[in-house]
Amino acid sequence: MTAGHPHAVPVPAGYRVGSWEVREPLASGAFGTVYAARRTGGGEPDQPRQAALKFLPTGTHTPRRLRHLRELADREVDLLRRLRSPRLIRMYDVLTVDDPALPELDGATVLVLEQAEGSLEELLRRTPVPGSGPALLAQVCEGLHQLHHAGWVHGDLKPGNVLLMKDGSVRLADFNMAAELEGTHAYSPAFSTPDYTPPELLWPELGERGRQIRPTADIWAFGVLAHLVLTDSYPLPGGSTDARCDAAVRYARGTEELRLSPRLPEAWREIVTDCLARSHDLRAAHDSASLLRRAEQAAGEARSARLPRLRPRRPRRSAWVATLAGTLAATAAAVAVTYATLRDDGPTYGYHRCPAGSVCFFSEEFGNGEMCDWADDDPDWLSGDETCAWTRDRPVRSIFNNGVEAPGRGGVAYYRGTDFTAAGIDRTRMEQRTGCTSMRQQGNLAGTYAPRSHEWVPNC
């Protein structure tokens, strides 16, 4: 989606759908419009106070176009309901507008989504070659791997569909064109953004189920995206989209060569070249798992891989409790660019699998290993409705307070005893332990923390 696009679904500010009140538009594209929204009451208890509402068009279209739009909506809902990965935008709910008085809205499908601070497209408009580019690209690649590992192809990877969260981290979004693999292929509508479409799909053969698409289409799109982020230019020549598409076809036929920018860092040159191989068969040698390992390595070689802050933040007191023996050993900035190797048994890595509105405790450093998360207080981790069984014999090594700002919720205090008491002993040192982590802070815990309870507090 592109900010500033004429709204596909105009919705007046203040309009209410479900427990949400529409605020300002965030982005719009050919198949939907996204608005900021705030919760006015009701709804599920784990839903945040603010979200993004994606309105998809209604029955005012022709039956043929309506069927097509319904198919696109169903694709996105299906993927978001089935996949909950840390690099994919989170969906909280799906609503249908029931308002006969407004026929242009009546029947519209509304996706209630995690709200981002902006998109990579917006960041590139302000800063054409951001210093955080390598770190952002590694996270984009992580999102692609999560999709491909689950058997899906994105089908429309581009800067407008890469969202940046409050802490600057990445979420992939807009899965209208996403398709589930059936063996080696998937079937997707014949729509995509030409500059990010591989040559073989620019004029594809269409069957009753659409065009055939494979994960190598996302690999090509990532190569174009990486070249743009790191050099502020496209990898194929041309002053317009049509000219660049013609160059892509000549390149696929062997009559045009890649002309990568001299500004492309050496660590990324081979990666981009492999992603932009002339044919699917050549690109198939580089799947998302191997691409992720290479992107992580290249990002680690960058001079500055710090993720961007999209909005200035007021200075606040450090969340680390330096006077306690269990002070946190790393800051959020230090670990934001630490990437863990993906494992064959699924996602067991990274702070960003921690749900919004929750506090998460991990069995390994940097958000790795097993995770327990809570949206509310818990007086005893080892009994009751929610338990964290692994803490019975293993300490907590890292924490992420991914809470949503609310009165009385500035931090999370955790205790060695049940019922929010500091009782108990360290497993290796005979002393009491307790700690507190402020909102949006994450990091490793020094020593051998073994909390048994936690509660939300106004501040740390």
Side-chain angles (χ1 to χ4, degrees):
M1 292 179 295
T2 304
H5 192 286
H7 300 326
V9 186
V11 182
Y15 187 81
R16 294 196 176 190
V17 54
S19 59
W20 300 94
E21 180 181 275
V22 172
R23 305 180 76 179
E24 72 277 4
L26 298 175
S28 193
F31 303 111
T33 304
V34 180
Y35 294 86
R38 63 183 175 187
R39 187 153 56 94
T40 58
E44 297 297 325
D46 62 340
Q47 291 181 355
R49 296 178 63 189
Q50 295 182 330
L53 301 186
K54 182 174 182 178
F55 284 78
L56 301 171
T58 73
T60 57
H61 295 271
T62 65
R64 181 178 178 182
R65 180 167 171 78
L66 180 61
R67 285 195 299 271
H68 173 69
L69 294 171
R70 174 57 56 188
E71 178 188 353
L72 297 182
D74 290 344
R75 284 174 181 271
E76 186 156 14
V77 170
D78 186 37
L79 184 147
L80 290 171
R81 276 180 170 162
R82 292 166 60 181
L83 301 184
R84 288 188 178 269
S85 299
R87 295 285 176 235
L88 308 185
I89 204 73
R90 184 182 180 190
M91 183 177 72
Y92 300 110
D93 203 357
V94 182
L95 307 170
T96 301
V97 176
D98 182 10
D99 193 348
L102 287 176
E104 66 275 15
L105 280 180
D106 189 39
T109 298
V110 183
L111 310 186
V112 183
L113 303 169
E114 185 177 17
Q115 185 174 352
E117 291 288 296
S119 69
L120 179 57
E121 182 177 53
E122 294 166 348
L123 177 63
L124 294 178
R125 278 201 296 266
R126 296 194 304 270
T127 310
V129 183
S132 58
L136 294 174
L137 288 171
Q139 292 192 30
V140 170
C141 197
E142 189 178 8
L144 280 185
H145 180 71
Q146 290 164 4
L147 274 177
H148 292 183
H149 186 70
W152 288 76
V153 181
H154 188 286
D156 196 23
L157 180 66
K158 59 184 178 181
N161 291 340
V162 175
L163 302 185
L164 304 181
M165 309 309 289
K166 189 174 182 179
D167 62 354
S169 61
V170 162
R171 301 285 193 280
L172 300 190
D174 208 335
F175 302 103
N176 289 331
M177 308 301 165
E180 190 171 12
L181 287 168
E182 301 173 16
T184 60
H185 292 77
Y187 295 89
S188 174
F191 296 96
S192 58
T193 306
D195 269 320
Y196 299 87
T197 301
E200 69 270 14
L201 293 181
L202 286 171
W203 291 276
E205 293 184 5
L206 298 179
E208 292 183 358
R209 302 178 61 190
R211 64 176 181 175
Q212 285 189 345
I213 188 171
R214 294 169 285 201
T216 54
D218 288 341
I219 300 296
W220 172 280
F222 180 80
V224 176
L225 181 72
H227 195 276
L228 181 67
V229 168
L230 298 171
T231 71
D232 188 31
S233 64
Y234 290 100
L236 288 159
S240 68
T241 295
D242 287 345
R244 289 189 291 271
C245 287
D246 289 342
V249 172
R250 294 194 302 272
Y251 167 64
R253 293 171 177 168
T255 59
E256 180 86 50
E257 295 297 324
L258 276 182
R259 300 174 187 176
L260 301 183
S261 169
R263 299 180 65 184
L264 187 64
E266 194 60 36
W268 288 89
R269 186 167 293 273
E270 187 176 355
I271 295 174
V272 171
T273 300
D274 289 341
C275 289
L276 299 179
R278 297 181 193 274
S279 68
H280 154 75
D281 291 337
L282 293 173
R283 291 194 301 277
H286 310 286
D287 64 9
S288 59
S290 63
L291 184 61
L292 174 58
R293 290 192 292 270
R294 296 167 69 187
E296 289 175 343
Q297 183 177 0
E301 294 178 7
R303 176 176 297 179
S304 174
R306 185 183 299 273
L307 296 173
R309 292 284 185 190
L310 298 188
R311 295 181 184 176
R313 301 175 69 184
R314 296 177 182 175
R316 62 184 180 183
R317 200 177 75 181
S318 168
W320 316 123
V321 187
T323 58
L324 297 175
T327 183
L328 300 178
T331 66
V335 299
V337 296
T338 301
Y339 300 96
T341 301
L342 289 169
R343 302 180 182 183
D344 293 337
D345 57 353
T348 58
Y349 56 90
Y351 290 110
H352 292 284
R353 54 196 168 120
C354 182
S358 301
V359 59
C360 298
F361 299 84
F362 306 90
S363 64
E364 298 178 21
E365 293 183 339
F366 305 116
N368 295 324
E370 295 190 66
M371 179 184 81
C372 288
D373 63 277
W374 285 272
D376 298 308
D377 303 343
D378 193 322
D380 188 348
W381 286 12
L382 298 179
S383 67
D385 294 335
E386 292 186 76
T387 61
C388 190
W390 58 264
T391 60
R392 189 180 303 275
D393 52 19
R394 279 181 289 166
V396 172
R397 294 295 190 185
S398 55
I399 181 174
F400 180 20
N401 182 348
N402 196 21
V404 176
E405 294 182 9
R409 287 201 168 203
V412 171
Y414 34 100
Y415 308 89
R416 295 194 59 80
T418 59
D419 299 314
F420 322 122
T421 65
I425 58 172
D426 187 285
R427 289 195 174 101
T428 59
R429 290 179 289 182
M430 300 294 290
E431 60 188 32
Q432 292 184 347
R433 284 291 181 94
T434 188
C436 188
T437 299
S438 295
M439 190 74 68
R440 303 299 300 166
Q441 295 293 326
Q442 62 192 35
N444 298 330
L445 294 173
T448 52
Y449 265 62
R452 283 288 303 274
S453 61
H454 75 273
E455 64 179 340
W456 296 86
V457 294
N459 53 69
C460 286

mmCIF file of all heavy atoms in Angstrom, residues 429-456:
data_model
loop_
_atom_site.group_PDB
_atom_site.id
_atom_site.type_symbol
_atom_site.label_atom_id
_atom_site.label_comp_id
_atom_site.label_asym_id
_atom_site.label_seq_id
_atom_site.Cartn_x
_atom_site.Cartn_y
_atom_site.Cartn_z
ATOM 1 N N ARG A 429 23.914 -18.176 44.461
ATOM 2 C CA ARG A 429 24.373 -17.231 45.481
ATOM 3 C C ARG A 429 23.254 -17.015 46.483
ATOM 4 O O ARG A 429 22.126 -16.747 46.109
ATOM 5 C CB ARG A 429 24.786 -15.901 44.843
ATOM 6 C CG ARG A 429 26.078 -16.022 44.034
ATOM 7 C CD ARG A 429 26.452 -14.703 43.402
ATOM 8 N NE ARG A 429 25.525 -14.374 42.315
ATOM 9 C CZ ARG A 429 25.643 -13.291 41.557
ATOM 10 N NH1 ARG A 429 26.605 -12.436 41.784
ATOM 11 N NH2 ARG A 429 24.783 -13.068 40.586
ATOM 12 N N MET A 430 23.592 -17.112 47.765
ATOM 13 C CA MET A 430 22.570 -17.065 48.807
ATOM 14 C C MET A 430 22.164 -15.618 49.073
ATOM 15 O O MET A 430 22.609 -14.972 50.023
ATOM 16 C CB MET A 430 23.112 -17.715 50.089
ATOM 17 C CG MET A 430 23.514 -19.168 49.882
ATOM 18 S SD MET A 430 22.094 -20.218 49.520
ATOM 19 C CE MET A 430 21.297 -20.215 51.115
ATOM 20 N N GLU A 431 21.313 -15.104 48.198
ATOM 21 C CA GLU A 431 20.831 -13.749 48.415
ATOM 22 C C GLU A 431 19.479 -13.587 47.739
ATOM 23 O O GLU A 431 19.162 -14.295 46.795
ATOM 24 C CB GLU A 431 21.819 -12.710 47.867
ATOM 25 C CG GLU A 431 22.067 -12.832 46.375
ATOM 26 C CD GLU A 431 23.197 -11.925 45.912
ATOM 27 O OE1 GLU A 431 24.113 -11.711 46.693
ATOM 28 O OE2 GLU A 431 23.131 -11.449 44.783
ATOM 29 N N GLN A 432 18.709 -12.660 48.235
ATOM 30 C CA GLN A 432 17.407 -12.411 47.647
ATOM 31 C C GLN A 432 17.570 -11.715 46.301
ATOM 32 O O GLN A 432 18.513 -10.977 46.068
ATOM 33 C CB GLN A 432 16.561 -11.543 48.581
ATOM 34 C CG GLN A 432 16.165 -12.266 49.855
ATOM 35 C CD GLN A 432 15.251 -11.414 50.712
ATOM 36 O OE1 GLN A 432 15.110 -10.225 50.474
ATOM 37 N NE2 GLN A 432 14.629 -12.029 51.702
ATOM 38 N N ARG A 433 16.600 -11.959 45.431
ATOM 39 C CA ARG A 433 16.620 -11.334 44.109
ATOM 40 C C ARG A 433 15.241 -10.780 43.780
ATOM 41 O O ARG A 433 14.223 -11.368 44.123
ATOM 42 C CB ARG A 433 16.995 -12.356 43.028
ATOM 43 C CG ARG A 433 18.468 -12.714 42.990
ATOM 44 C CD ARG A 433 19.303 -11.538 42.499
ATOM 45 N NE ARG A 433 20.694 -11.884 42.447
ATOM 46 C CZ ARG A 433 21.314 -12.335 41.359
ATOM 47 N NH1 ARG A 433 20.644 -12.518 40.255
ATOM 48 N NH2 ARG A 433 22.598 -12.608 41.389
ATOM 49 N N THR A 434 15.216 -9.679 43.064
ATOM 50 C CA THR A 434 14.008 -9.152 42.462
ATOM 51 C C THR A 434 14.446 -8.255 41.304
ATOM 52 O O THR A 434 15.618 -7.966 41.144
ATOM 53 C CB THR A 434 13.150 -8.370 43.485
ATOM 54 O OG1 THR A 434 11.904 -8.051 42.884
ATOM 55 C CG2 THR A 434 13.834 -7.079 43.892
ATOM 56 N N GLY A 435 13.512 -7.834 40.478
ATOM 57 C CA GLY A 435 13.869 -6.979 39.345
ATOM 58 C C GLY A 435 12.640 -6.281 38.797
ATOM 59 O O GLY A 435 11.511 -6.591 39.172
ATOM 60 N N CYS A 436 12.860 -5.349 37.882
ATOM 61 C CA CYS A 436 11.763 -4.599 37.265
ATOM 62 C C CYS A 436 12.210 -4.139 35.884
ATOM 63 O O CYS A 436 13.355 -3.707 35.707
ATOM 64 C CB CYS A 436 11.379 -3.393 38.132
ATOM 65 S SG CYS A 436 9.888 -2.527 37.576
ATOM 66 N N THR A 437 11.336 -4.253 34.906
ATOM 67 C CA THR A 437 11.659 -3.861 33.531
ATOM 68 C C THR A 437 10.588 -2.901 33.016
ATOM 69 O O THR A 437 9.393 -3.197 33.095
ATOM 70 C CB THR A 437 11.747 -5.096 32.613
ATOM 71 O OG1 THR A 437 12.791 -5.949 33.082
ATOM 72 C CG2 THR A 437 12.051 -4.689 31.174
ATOM 73 N N SER A 438 11.022 -1.767 32.496
ATOM 74 C CA SER A 438 10.108 -0.724 32.040
ATOM 75 C C SER A 438 9.488 -1.076 30.692
ATOM 76 O O SER A 438 9.943 -1.983 29.986
ATOM 77 C CB SER A 438 10.835 0.615 31.926
ATOM 78 O OG SER A 438 11.271 1.063 33.195
ATOM 79 N N MET A 439 8.464 -0.319 30.338
ATOM 80 C CA MET A 439 7.745 -0.523 29.089
ATOM 81 C C MET A 439 8.685 -0.467 27.887
ATOM 82 O O MET A 439 9.540 0.398 27.801
ATOM 83 C CB MET A 439 6.664 0.555 28.950
ATOM 84 C CG MET A 439 5.682 0.323 27.829
ATOM 85 S SD MET A 439 4.533 -1.004 28.246
ATOM 86 C CE MET A 439 3.600 -0.252 29.570
ATOM 87 N N ARG A 440 8.538 -1.444 26.973
ATOM 88 C CA ARG A 440 9.265 -1.523 25.708
ATOM 89 C C ARG A 440 10.748 -1.774 25.891
ATOM 90 O O ARG A 440 11.528 -1.570 24.976
ATOM 91 C CB ARG A 440 9.054 -0.264 24.859
ATOM 92 C CG ARG A 440 7.613 0.058 24.552
ATOM 93 C CD ARG A 440 6.944 -1.037 23.770
ATOM 94 N NE ARG A 440 7.605 -1.287 22.497
ATOM 95 C CZ ARG A 440 7.392 -2.354 21.748
ATOM 96 N NH1 ARG A 440 6.588 -3.292 22.159
ATOM 97 N NH2 ARG A 440 8.012 -2.502 20.607
ATOM 98 N N GLN A 441 11.166 -2.231 27.072
ATOM 99 C CA GLN A 441 12.562 -2.563 27.294
ATOM 100 C C GLN A 441 12.748 -4.073 27.174
ATOM 101 O O GLN A 441 11.859 -4.859 27.492
ATOM 102 C CB GLN A 441 13.023 -2.091 28.674
ATOM 103 C CG GLN A 441 13.018 -0.580 28.839
ATOM 104 C CD GLN A 441 14.061 0.093 27.964
ATOM 105 O OE1 GLN A 441 15.135 -0.453 27.723
ATOM 106 N NE2 GLN A 441 13.760 1.287 27.485
ATOM 107 N N GLN A 442 13.933 -4.452 26.724
ATOM 108 C CA GLN A 442 14.264 -5.869 26.574
ATOM 109 C C GLN A 442 15.741 -6.054 26.841
ATOM 110 O O GLN A 442 16.533 -5.137 26.688
ATOM 111 C CB GLN A 442 13.917 -6.343 25.161
ATOM 112 C CG GLN A 442 14.696 -5.614 24.066
ATOM 113 C CD GLN A 442 14.141 -5.886 22.678
ATOM 114 O OE1 GLN A 442 12.942 -6.035 22.503
ATOM 115 N NE2 GLN A 442 15.006 -5.931 21.693
ATOM 116 N N GLY A 443 16.126 -7.238 27.255
ATOM 117 C CA GLY A 443 17.540 -7.478 27.493
ATOM 118 C C GLY A 443 17.772 -8.759 28.271
ATOM 119 O O GLY A 443 16.829 -9.463 28.668
ATOM 120 N N ASN A 444 19.040 -9.060 28.474
ATOM 121 C CA ASN A 444 19.431 -10.264 29.199
ATOM 122 C C ASN A 444 19.440 -10.002 30.697
ATOM 123 O O ASN A 444 19.643 -8.870 31.142
ATOM 124 C CB ASN A 444 20.810 -10.733 28.744
ATOM 125 C CG ASN A 444 20.828 -11.109 27.281
ATOM 126 O OD1 ASN A 444 19.824 -11.546 26.732
ATOM 127 N ND2 ASN A 444 21.974 -10.925 26.632
ATOM 128 N N LEU A 445 19.241 -11.051 31.475
ATOM 129 C CA LEU A 445 19.302 -10.967 32.925
ATOM 130 C C LEU A 445 20.601 -11.586 33.411
ATOM 131 O O LEU A 445 20.928 -12.715 33.046
ATOM 132 C CB LEU A 445 18.108 -11.701 33.550
ATOM 133 C CG LEU A 445 16.725 -11.085 33.279
ATOM 134 C CD1 LEU A 445 15.635 -12.005 33.808
ATOM 135 C CD2 LEU A 445 16.607 -9.722 33.904
ATOM 136 N N ALA A 446 21.333 -10.828 34.195
ATOM 137 C CA ALA A 446 22.595 -11.340 34.735
ATOM 138 C C ALA A 446 22.302 -12.348 35.843
ATOM 139 O O ALA A 446 21.266 -12.318 36.490
ATOM 140 C CB ALA A 446 23.430 -10.185 35.275
ATOM 141 N N GLY A 447 23.222 -13.252 36.081
ATOM 142 C CA GLY A 447 23.049 -14.215 37.151
ATOM 143 C C GLY A 447 22.088 -15.327 36.771
ATOM 144 O O GLY A 447 21.946 -15.687 35.611
ATOM 145 N N THR A 448 21.414 -15.863 37.768
ATOM 146 C CA THR A 448 20.506 -16.995 37.536
ATOM 147 C C THR A 448 19.142 -16.653 38.113
ATOM 148 O O THR A 448 18.731 -17.186 39.146
ATOM 149 C CB THR A 448 21.063 -18.273 38.177
ATOM 150 O OG1 THR A 448 21.374 -18.006 39.547
ATOM 151 C CG2 THR A 448 22.293 -18.765 37.452
ATOM 152 N N TYR A 449 18.450 -15.754 37.496
ATOM 153 C CA TYR A 449 17.114 -15.361 37.935
ATOM 154 C C TYR A 449 16.161 -16.551 37.925
ATOM 155 O O TYR A 449 16.146 -17.330 36.972
ATOM 156 C CB TYR A 449 16.559 -14.295 36.993
ATOM 157 C CG TYR A 449 16.782 -12.877 37.447
ATOM 158 C CD1 TYR A 449 18.066 -12.371 37.608
ATOM 159 C CD2 TYR A 449 15.708 -12.055 37.711
ATOM 160 C CE1 TYR A 449 18.274 -11.065 38.010
ATOM 161 C CE2 TYR A 449 15.902 -10.744 38.116
ATOM 162 C CZ TYR A 449 17.183 -10.255 38.268
ATOM 163 O OH TYR A 449 17.372 -8.963 38.661
ATOM 164 N N ALA A 450 15.336 -16.651 38.961
ATOM 165 C CA ALA A 450 14.320 -17.692 39.012
ATOM 166 C C ALA A 450 13.031 -17.096 39.568
ATOM 167 O O ALA A 450 12.615 -17.425 40.688
ATOM 168 C CB ALA A 450 14.802 -18.864 39.865
ATOM 169 N N PRO A 451 12.353 -16.215 38.825
ATOM 170 C CA PRO A 451 11.120 -15.602 39.339
ATOM 171 C C PRO A 451 10.017 -16.639 39.524
ATOM 172 O O PRO A 451 9.963 -17.653 38.822
ATOM 173 C CB PRO A 451 10.738 -14.598 38.236
ATOM 174 C CG PRO A 451 11.993 -14.383 37.447
ATOM 175 C CD PRO A 451 12.734 -15.673 37.515
ATOM 176 N N ARG A 452 9.118 -16.352 40.464
ATOM 177 C CA ARG A 452 7.938 -17.177 40.681
ATOM 178 C C ARG A 452 6.650 -16.372 40.545
ATOM 179 O O ARG A 452 5.564 -16.942 40.552
ATOM 180 C CB ARG A 452 7.995 -17.820 42.068
ATOM 181 C CG ARG A 452 8.942 -19.005 42.163
ATOM 182 C CD ARG A 452 8.417 -20.235 41.446
ATOM 183 N NE ARG A 452 7.105 -20.656 41.918
ATOM 184 C CZ ARG A 452 6.909 -21.465 42.961
ATOM 185 N NH1 ARG A 452 7.952 -21.940 43.631
ATOM 186 N NH2 ARG A 452 5.698 -21.815 43.321
ATOM 187 N N SER A 453 6.755 -15.039 40.474
ATOM 188 C CA SER A 453 5.557 -14.215 40.320
ATOM 189 C C SER A 453 5.953 -12.869 39.711
ATOM 190 O O SER A 453 7.123 -12.487 39.731
ATOM 191 C CB SER A 453 4.862 -14.013 41.661
ATOM 192 O OG SER A 453 5.700 -13.340 42.582
ATOM 193 N N HIS A 454 4.961 -12.163 39.181
ATOM 194 C CA HIS A 454 5.215 -10.833 38.628
ATOM 195 C C HIS A 454 3.926 -10.008 38.694
ATOM 196 O O HIS A 454 2.824 -10.571 38.756
ATOM 197 C CB HIS A 454 5.717 -10.917 37.180
ATOM 198 C CG HIS A 454 4.634 -11.249 36.211
ATOM 199 N ND1 HIS A 454 4.281 -12.542 35.922
ATOM 200 C CD2 HIS A 454 3.797 -10.455 35.486
ATOM 201 C CE1 HIS A 454 3.287 -12.546 35.050
ATOM 202 N NE2 HIS A 454 2.964 -11.297 34.758
ATOM 203 N N GLU A 455 4.075 -8.689 38.643
ATOM 204 C CA GLU A 455 2.911 -7.798 38.597
ATOM 205 C C GLU A 455 3.270 -6.520 37.850
ATOM 206 O O GLU A 455 4.424 -6.099 37.828
ATOM 207 C CB GLU A 455 2.427 -7.466 40.002
ATOM 208 C CG GLU A 455 3.414 -6.679 40.838
ATOM 209 C CD GLU A 455 2.906 -6.341 42.222
ATOM 210 O OE1 GLU A 455 1.654 -6.379 42.409
ATOM 211 O OE2 GLU A 455 3.705 -6.023 43.103
ATOM 212 N N TRP A 456 2.253 -5.958 37.202
ATOM 213 C CA TRP A 456 2.423 -4.666 36.534
ATOM 214 C C TRP A 456 2.419 -3.558 37.579
ATOM 215 O O TRP A 456 1.630 -3.582 38.515
ATOM 216 C CB TRP A 456 1.300 -4.451 35.529
ATOM 217 C CG TRP A 456 1.314 -5.435 34.409
ATOM 218 C CD1 TRP A 456 0.745 -6.671 34.392
ATOM 219 C CD2 TRP A 456 1.952 -5.284 33.145
ATOM 220 N NE1 TRP A 456 0.982 -7.305 33.191
ATOM 221 C CE2 TRP A 456 1.712 -6.471 32.404
ATOM 222 C CE3 TRP A 456 2.690 -4.265 32.548
ATOM 223 C CZ2 TRP A 456 2.198 -6.650 31.109
ATOM 224 C CZ3 TRP A 456 3.161 -4.440 31.262
ATOM 225 C CH2 TRP A 456 2.929 -5.624 30.558
#
